[in-house]
Amino acid sequence: METKTALVTGINGQDGSYLADFLLTKGYKVYGMERRCSRKNRVNTEHLEGKITFINGDLADQNSLLRCIKECSPDEIYNLGAMSFVGESWNTPETTSDVNALGVLRMLEAIRESGRDIRFYQASTSEMYGKVVETPQKETTPFYPRSPYGVSKLYGYWITKNYRESYGVFACNGILFNHESERRGIEFVTRKISDGVARIALGLSDHIALGNLDAQRDWGYAPDYVEAMWAMLQHDTPDDYVISTGECYSIRDFLQRAFACVNISNWEDYVKQDERFMRPAEVDYLVGDSSKARDVLGWKPSVSFDEMVSRMVFNDIDLLGDDN
Ligand code: NAP
Ligand code: G4F
């Protein structure tokens, strides 16, 4: 069988690292694109050194993308690189838009310029539904983004669809609902909670400071979700798919489950609400209908919410235990 080559942007992020793990099991040659920085951040990808090829590139720099494609000659590109933290997007709306919106355009243009037949995956998001106009949200639900991040991702979504329709690029949008894991960035609420609970259990802290506890999300497990990205690019025709569990929980539910892992039932005593973590505009409720992906791609999630919370908490206990 012919070896396929994939270029993955955002390689050092949560999804990039899991996708590389998955593609290696499928026999791919994997190139992981990372930005040059003063100190390498390969917490999620240290184990991939020697197994994949790291390549420097920046979604804010057109020439670097052209060079990356020339250097790897990929069959598939997974565009996962982004300023992905919604809260930060109000502080850096311009950079967020440059990378998350124009970065997609730059990559699509680089594909066109290369003249190669490259399949393209765009990391779109449930944040595009924002102030939801329909529940559950599916591929046909109108969008109403509520943050500079959501707005920037909406451009990425449409330009991907547009290049598919204008130039026949095999380009797919995965509209992924929140997905979490042991490799989740520490600033996101689930990992902040699992890390905070671990610290409290180990006597290293006495509380967690959080913002809005009433928001509700459809939380899945990241390794399940990267399989859906791959499945989209293996299908006969390019299309857009919602990827979600169909279940919805609040931050309070997450807290209750996480504290229960360390036998604490009075979790409210350990949580302080802090204005600093409230957002100028909130997405209150997201729950996805992934019937299309389940029917067409045969995809379904395998790890339950409770199992995911427990894996995250015990992983953080292990990590902190190793540090002490
Ligand atoms: P993540 O952990 O924050 O990873 C994002 C990666 O993008 C980081 O490795 C970051 O590298 C890289 N990046 C940032 N700016 C870049 C630039 N200018 N050029 C190239 N790379 C750049 O995010 P994730 O959770 O893995 O998510 C992957 C993608 O899916 C993102 O596009 C995100 O918006 C989207 N998404 C995520 C979810 C979710 O729940 N996780 C749901 C829907 C969609 P640095 O280390 O250099 O900053
Ligand atoms: O964990 P979050 O920061 O994730 P958010 O905003 O849902 O975005 C994530 O999922 C999107 C898919 O829907 C992705 F596109 C995006 O890249 C990212 O991966 O916040 C979740 C909820 C929010 O309602 C927030 O207001 O948790 C609430 N929250 C309450 N206290 C907090 C905190 N969020 C964070 N990060 N930190 C807090 O202290």
Side-chain angles (χ1 to χ4, degrees):
M1 212 176 68
E2 194 195 331
T3 304
K4 280 194 195 170
T5 300
L7 171 62
V8 179
T9 76
I11 189 68
N12 295 323
Q14 171 187 260
D15 291 7
S17 62
Y18 282 121
L19 179 63
D21 289 340
F22 178 71
L23 292 175
L24 288 175
T25 69
K26 294 280 174 195
Y28 277 69
K29 180 164 176 46
V30 178
Y31 286 84
M33 194 182 97
E34 61 182 2
R35 295 188 286 180
R36 197 212 75 84
C37 53
S38 49
R39 281 191 71 189
K40 291 220 178 300
N41 172 19
R42 292 196 185 156
V43 178
N44 289 335
T45 47
E46 209 180 348
H47 67 287
L48 290 168
E49 289 178 6
K51 296 183 181 153
I52 69 167
T53 306
F54 290 90
I55 182 168
N56 278 356
D58 194 319
L59 287 161
D61 185 314
Q62 181 75 68
N63 281 324
S64 74
L65 304 182
L66 287 163
R67 187 181 40 71
C68 281
I69 291 183
K70 200 168 171 199
E71 220 167 299
C72 352
S73 300
D75 301 293
E76 297 170 7
I77 294 179
Y78 295 86
N79 186 37
L80 311 184
M83 200 308 283
S84 76
F85 186 35
V86 174
E88 175 61 15
S89 73
W90 277 278
N91 299 328
T92 57
E94 209 176 313
T95 315
T96 301
S97 306
D98 191 24
V99 175
N100 297 6
L102 292 182
V104 187
L105 174 66
R106 291 188 189 102
M107 188 59 99
L108 287 163
E109 272 299 303
I111 289 172
R112 256 175 30 91
E113 185 74 19
S114 75
R116 292 179 53 89
D117 199 8
I118 300 170
R119 295 191 171 200
F120 178 76
Y121 172 86
Q122 169 55 19
S124 288
T125 165
S126 49
E127 268 292 303
M128 300 187 306
Y129 297 119
K131 191 173 177 187
V132 298
V133 301
E134 179 184 42
T135 293
Q137 296 84 52
K138 50 183 185 283
E139 290 80 3
T140 51
T141 301
F143 300 116
Y144 191 148
R146 291 274 277 173
S147 62
Y149 169 83
V151 173
S152 70
K153 282 285 183 177
L154 198 51
Y155 178 90
Y157 167 88
W158 280 114
I159 202 69
T160 297
K161 218 174 160 79
N162 183 263
Y163 270 51
R164 180 167 79 216
E165 292 173 2
S166 305
Y167 302 116
V169 179
F170 193 110
C172 301
N173 281 293
I175 307 173
L176 271 53
F177 281 62
N178 297 51
H179 44 282
E180 317 295 313
S181 73
E182 298 90 321
R183 296 185 196 167
R184 187 57 143 150
I186 199 80
E187 67 273 40
F188 298 93
V189 76
T190 56
R191 184 75 195 284
K192 188 172 169 182
I193 294 171
S194 64
D195 173 74
V197 167
R199 283 175 194 278
I200 290 165
L202 294 170
L204 301 172
S205 174
D206 59 7
H207 75 279
I208 311 174
L210 293 170
N212 174 21
L213 303 185
D214 296 316
Q216 298 177 66
R217 291 289 184 275
D218 179 330
W219 275 300
Y221 190 53
D224 283 341
Y225 283 43
V226 300
E227 295 193 19
M229 299 175 186
W230 174 79
M232 287 176 213
L233 295 200
Q234 311 318 305
H235 197 61
D236 299 340
T237 43
D239 207 344
D240 307 322
Y241 297 91
V242 161
I243 302 297
S244 65
T245 68
E247 291 175 19
C248 189
Y249 296 91
S250 66
I251 314 287
R252 287 175 200 280
D253 295 328
F254 198 102
L255 282 161
Q256 183 268 320
R257 304 303 205 279
F259 274 101
C261 292
V262 296
N263 300 318
I264 293 175
S265 54
N266 55 330
W267 62 264
E268 282 101 336
D269 296 345
Y270 296 90
V271 174
K272 289 186 183 161
Q273 274 202 285
D274 188 327
E275 280 298 316
R276 283 179 304 152
F277 302 112
M278 303 296 272
R279 294 178 178 176
E282 181 58 284
V283 171
D284 297 318
Y285 179 86
L286 292 174
V287 65
D289 174 355
S290 54
S291 309
K292 181 175 167 185
R294 292 176 197 234
D295 293 347
V296 179
L297 304 175
W299 176 86
K300 62 176 189 323
S302 73
V303 173
S304 70
F305 178 70
D306 284 2
E307 174 62 24
M308 181 184 75
V309 177
S310 152
R311 286 187 194 185
M312 290 177 71
V313 170
F314 288 113
N315 175 68
D316 276 320
I317 290 174
D318 286 348
L319 286 178
L320 288 165
D322 289 346
D323 285 349
N324 287 292

